[in-house]
Amino acid sequence: MQKSKFIKKICISLILIGIMSYRLCASEWDDLVRFYNLKSDMTKEVNEYSEKLLQEAYNLSAEDLWRSLYQDLTPRQKAANGLSLLEKLCTGNIGKWENVKGFWYPTLIPQSLAVIDGFYILVLSLTELSDEPAPWLAYNLIHDLRSSSRGKFYFLETAPAEYELILKRLEKRGVPVPPHWFEFIKRGRLPLVRSFRGWISYNNVLFKNMVFLDSVGRPASNGYYAWDRDTGFIYEIATRERRRIFIPWN
């Protein structure tokens, strides 16, 4: 009798897991259908629009393009500079953000985070433009970042407050945003990266739930550096092996 009940519970659990998996797959499938329908309808217009914006970008280094995004520029110029930043750092495909390595010295800004910062300013600026292809380009860029499992985990499932505004603006412009894109944790605001603030202890990194960065500045499960999502500050982690002057994080 007990064995029968146990088997029954297992069967019910398997059915529930199957239902949840089906819903997840259906959600992802619907997302793909939406995306490829949009791609077939808007690909040419969006590509031409993107090329036109790239031609309007300032002729600057990647670091200076990133810094320009927080200057007093028009949304169109920010969009153009943001696209150029993506082109320089990840050949225009934000889904390949993990290929971006290294820091900008002496400010110690991680380039992998700077390109995501540029991505957000880019899509936010696109939602402010009245051009018909603009929101569709923003949609494509978000979809590209979601194609990276780590990109989705670090930057879209937890995202700055402005992400909700971006999605609402896309919906208002008639872009069919998948409902599950709104399921994210709000944390921090733009800019994602602000400045290097010195040394911090490993325990404080854990206490503040910061994101570890590896030796080339990419998010990792452990590392030499840390990114505080709430403030945008970057820290180097002080360890016993590296006995140097410690600058408190607060």
Side-chain angles (χ1 to χ4, degrees), residues 74-104:
T74 64
R76 186 179 183 89
Q77 191 61 61
K78 288 185 178 183
N81 287 6
L83 272 177
S84 184
L85 175 65
L86 266 60
E87 192 69 30
K88 287 179 180 289
L89 292 183
C90 54
T91 61
N93 186 352
I94 192 61
K96 296 181 179 180
W97 69 275
E98 287 187 86
N99 294 339
V100 182
K101 304 176 183 179
F103 296 85
W104 285 322

Side-chain angles (χ1 to χ4, degrees), residues 161-178:
E162 289 86 352
Y163 184 43
E164 183 176 27
L165 174 61
I166 290 168
L167 297 179
K168 287 182 176 179
R169 284 180 175 177
L170 291 181
E171 281 194 325
K172 193 172 181 181
R173 294 285 295 277
V175 179
V177 177

